[in-house]
Amino acid sequence: MRRRAEVAPDFPQPLSLPKIKTGITGFDEITFGGLPAGRPTLICGAAGCGKTLFATTFLVNGATQFDEPGVFMSFEERAEDLAANVASLGYDLDRLVSEGRLAIDHVRVERSEIEETGEYDLDGLFIRLGYAVDTVKAKRVVLDTIETLFSGFSDPSILRAELRRLFGWIKDRGLTAIITGERGEGQLTRQGLEEYVSDCVVLLDNRVEDQITTRRLRVVKYRGSAHGTNEYPFLIDAEGISVLPVTSADLDYATPGGIISTGIAGLDQMLEPGGFHRGSSILISGESGTGKTMISASMIDAACRRGERCMAFVFEESGDQICRNAGSIGLDLKQHVEAGLLRFEAARPSLFGLEMHLARMHRDLDRFGPDLVVVDPLSALRGPASEMQATILRMVDLLKSRGITALFTSLRVDGALDLADDFGVSSLMDSWVKLLNVEANGERSRTLYVIKARGMSHSHQVREFLMSSAGIALVDAYIGPAGVLTGTARLVQEAEEKAQALRRQQESERRQREVARQRVSIERQIAELHASLEAAEEEERLLFGEVEAREAQLETGRRDIAVRRSAAR
């Protein structure tokens, strides 16, 4: 089971100061629990940075998640305008008001109606605010915006005194308050006083660099509590506000066990365990058209078939287009989307800044909980080299800390490693698979080889891979004196080798037949010699018998003659 690691800031969490959670993803982590309970917090920033939305989210989450009613006192927007503005985020303020969990009061402040004297005070505001608080038994209060309330004051001493009275009144009532303020010239607010009397100050910034907008948040001060001091990107979209905390710099995350298949039998065979380590970071690099996206689609399909959840962050194609293209190699990714196992997050790289893309990823990972994440392609992201390195490092660290297997694709113009455009990606990866287009004999073939795979043995051979309706298949590339042959050159060479083998086989068979003929001829000759020898031996035996017969006859004749001679005497 994959371990989920919470964000671990670099500061020890204080235990003494009571806090109230805002319910805003990421913000409660960087403040170690939320805003100071029973104290005022100043949210300041330029127009359009999200102050009112931040404050509204604080109230809505309090009423819906923590059973803490709230009061929104606006000095600019009318109640109906405020409700309409936040409806796109799914906030139904009218329903919360009707249920008695939220009170909205619009106070119109006109400079001409204000008499500035030494005895001027805010007793009327306190009475009106106190009535709203008592009506809904509020625990949370928002004052939006404070500049409008004090627009009639020109004496700094009166302004400071009334600010202190206002903040003191909030503390005496035990209310956790957010007060919004416009950013001034060279100071956090227009008056330059609010940040000094506030217990917590949060600065929102809407920064434009290279025509790309990035929202950033910084906790300027927090009395009685440690807090994250960096700038954190935050995202405002249809799902509300989410803040991206900086992940821990410690490399202390656990390593999940197990091996996952790539869904490509030939690639699994090139890796000794039969796949990649679970929770590792994998880089697939290559030129355009080498099949990077299709390899990632194969890994997605294999993971979904195992019942794992997958999320793909794509920057060049829509999810539907990737599903359609994957169908050409026999993969049906739509079924995984419909089953809720696969989710595509598609956006143009120029839509957000680097940190905003990272903030979106952070939020989506929290909500979907994937086991495999694909970023296709990583090279589409654009920004200064220093920001690219930091963003990629944090992205890899984010995924590793959660035990998520990450697959990154990257475009290489010529198939070579361009160190000026690498941003340290290759060194961050646990495994690196490189794809190349090989051109020969008027055609282009795809080849693959594994550059590195930490913690496992792997093949160092170049393999040609073919994509068809049956999927992706890896075949051995021909390596000879002339180099690596792929495509039809390999087929021609294989055909020539088969022809040569056939000729060698036929020549061998011809020689064997000739030997057989010679054997038969020699054996026949041997048989004839044997027959001749046997005939000679038979003739010799017959002649010997005839000689013996003649000798016997002569002997008989001699005996007869001897007998006759004896008788005559």
Side-chain angles (χ1 to χ4, degrees), residues 10 18 91 205 268 296 299 394 477 489:
D10 298 331
Y91 297 159
D205 185 23
D268 288 343
S296 63
M299 289 195 64
R394 291 164 66 185

Side-chain angles (χ1 to χ4, degrees), residues 266-288:
L267 183 55
D268 288 343
Q269 293 173 2
M270 296 180 69
L271 305 168
E272 183 180 281
F276 292 109
H277 287 301
R278 186 178 298 278
S280 61
S281 299
I282 306 160
L283 175 64
I284 308 292
S285 67
E287 305 172 46
S288 178

Side-chain angles (χ1 to χ4, degrees), residues 205-520:
D205 185 23
N206 194 14
R207 196 172 306 170
V208 179
E209 295 178 355
D210 296 331
Q211 301 180 353
I212 297 177
T213 300
T214 301
R215 300 178 188 271
R216 290 180 173 87
L217 175 149
R218 180 166 65 93
V219 181
V220 178
K221 80 171 185 178
Y222 201 136
R223 287 175 180 163
S225 172
H227 58 85
T229 57
N230 294 321
E231 282 191 328
Y232 305 94
F234 70 98
L235 180 66
I236 298 178
D237 60 7
E239 299 185 24
I241 298 179
S242 56
V243 182
L244 173 63
V246 176
T247 51
S248 173
D250 297 330
L251 298 175
D252 57 355
Y253 41 76
T255 302
I259 301 296
I260 61 171
S261 171
T262 63
I264 304 171
L267 183 55
D268 288 343
Q269 293 173 2
M270 296 180 69
L271 305 168
E272 183 180 281
F276 292 109
H277 287 301
R278 186 178 298 278
S280 61
S281 299
I282 306 160
L283 175 64
I284 308 292
S285 67
E287 305 172 46
S288 178
T290 51
K292 301 182 296 296
T293 302
M294 291 300 98
I295 290 181
S296 63
S298 297
M299 289 195 64
I300 289 174
D301 180 72
C304 290
R305 291 183 182 277
R306 294 191 298 268
E308 300 175 1
R309 298 166 70 86
C310 302
M311 175 169 282
F313 296 91
V314 293
F315 302 111
E316 293 181 346
E317 299 176 282
S318 67
D320 288 340
Q321 186 176 358
I322 292 177
C323 291
R324 182 202 66 186
N325 296 342
S328 64
I329 59 172
L331 302 180
D332 184 7
L333 298 185
K334 276 190 172 294
Q335 64 174 340
H336 304 315
V337 175
E338 295 169 356
L341 293 175
L342 174 59
R343 177 178 171 184
F344 288 96
E345 289 294 332
R348 285 294 182 187
S350 57
L351 182 61
F352 304 112
L354 292 173
E355 291 182 330
M356 293 300 288
H357 282 294
L358 192 57
R360 290 179 63 246
M361 178 180 290
H362 193 284
R363 182 199 61 192
D364 294 336
L365 294 180
D366 284 339
R367 297 183 178 180
F368 190 69
D371 300 281
L372 172 67
V373 166
V374 174
V375 179
D376 180 37
L378 189 64
S379 53
L381 299 175
R382 290 291 180 266
S386 58
E387 290 189 19
M388 283 289 295
Q389 290 175 340
T391 300
I392 294 172
L393 177 61
R394 291 164 66 185
M395 185 180 297
V396 173
D397 184 62
L398 170 65
L399 297 171
K400 279 185 173 293
S401 65
R402 295 164 180 256
I404 298 174
T405 305
L407 176 64
F408 301 90
T409 69
S410 180
L411 176 66
R412 299 290 178 187
V413 176
D414 57 355
L417 176 62
D418 185 2
L419 296 178
D421 192 39
D422 182 61
F423 301 116
V425 175
S426 57
S427 64
L428 293 174
M429 298 295 113
D430 298 305
S431 300
W432 183 5
V433 178
K434 194 171 182 180
L435 309 180
L436 287 177
N437 281 326
V438 177
E439 297 183 4
N441 300 325
E443 68 172 356
R444 185 177 63 181
S445 304
R446 299 181 178 93
T447 60
L448 174 151
Y449 62 98
V450 180
I451 293 182
K452 74 172 182 178
R454 290 173 179 164
M456 66 179 71
S457 297
H458 60 88
S459 172
H460 298 280
Q461 295 180 350
V462 177
R463 302 289 177 88
E464 181 181 2
F465 74 96
L466 308 174
M467 293 191 294
S468 66
S469 58
I472 297 178
L474 270 64
V475 296
D476 293 336
Y478 178 84
I479 302 177
V484 178
L485 299 180
T486 59
T488 57
R490 175 180 54 81
L491 296 177
V492 170
Q493 182 64 32
E494 289 177 349
E496 179 63 25
E497 289 180 352
K498 290 180 180 179
Q500 292 177 1
L502 180 60
R503 285 194 295 269
R504 289 192 298 269
Q505 180 181 356
Q506 292 173 344
E507 181 64 22
S508 176
E509 292 175 352
R510 185 190 64 78
R511 289 195 300 268
Q512 291 176 1
R513 289 194 300 270
E514 182 64 24
V515 169
R517 285 195 297 268
Q518 291 179 1
R519 179 183 297 278
V520 171

Side-chain angles (χ1 to χ4, degrees), residues 42-103:
L42 175 65
I43 306 294
C44 56
C49 63
K51 300 183 299 298
T52 301
L53 182 58
F54 189 101
T56 305
T57 302
F58 167 73
L59 286 185
V60 171
N61 289 343
T64 58
Q65 298 180 17
F66 307 110
D67 193 25
E68 295 183 353
V71 172
F72 192 105
M73 181 162 285
S74 172
F75 304 109
E76 289 185 343
E77 289 184 285
R78 296 177 301 174
E80 54 270 23
D81 295 333
L82 177 64
N85 292 340
V86 299
S88 60
L89 302 180
Y91 297 159
D92 190 352
L93 298 187
D94 293 333
R95 178 179 60 84
L96 293 176
V97 171
S98 63
E99 294 175 353
R101 293 190 287 174
L102 189 64

Side-chain angles (χ1 to χ4, degrees), residues 551-562:
E551 290 292 334
Q553 187 177 2
L554 291 172
E555 182 64 29
T556 300
R558 284 193 294 272
R559 284 196 299 270
D560 290 344
I561 294 171

